[in-house]
Amino acid sequence: MTRRVSAFLLALAAFMIFEWISLGFNLSDGHPTAFYVVHGVLIVVNIVLAVVLALVGVRGLKAGRA
């Protein structure tokens, strides 16, 4: 993997984490419980995916140095 792809994965992971945490804080009150459950699951899944992307990006950067 090239350094460019690794840097892109890290940038994408940072964006995903920022975006989904912002969404979590901006959910307004007054929705049914199911709405919050679904969005909570979406937030958790996407943050996990972002962490995986970040790990792949870091591994790619480390492999490029060797």
Side-chain angles (χ1 to χ4, degrees):
M1 175 179 328
T2 64
R3 290 179 60 86
R4 188 177 196 179
V5 172
S6 298
F8 173 75
L9 290 177
L10 287 172
L12 180 62
F15 173 75
M16 286 176 66
I17 290 172
F18 172 76
E19 175 186 10
W20 285 99
I21 289 177
S22 295
L23 174 74
F25 283 118
N26 289 328
L27 289 176
S28 60
D29 293 333
H31 293 284
T33 303
F35 176 85
Y36 295 112
V37 171
V38 168
H39 282 82
V41 170
L42 286 172
I43 290 168
V44 169
V45 168
N46 279 287
I47 288 177
V48 169
L49 287 173
V51 169
V52 170
L53 286 176
L55 291 174
V56 171
V58 167
R59 282 187 176 181
L61 284 177
K62 286 183 179 180
R65 291 182 189 164

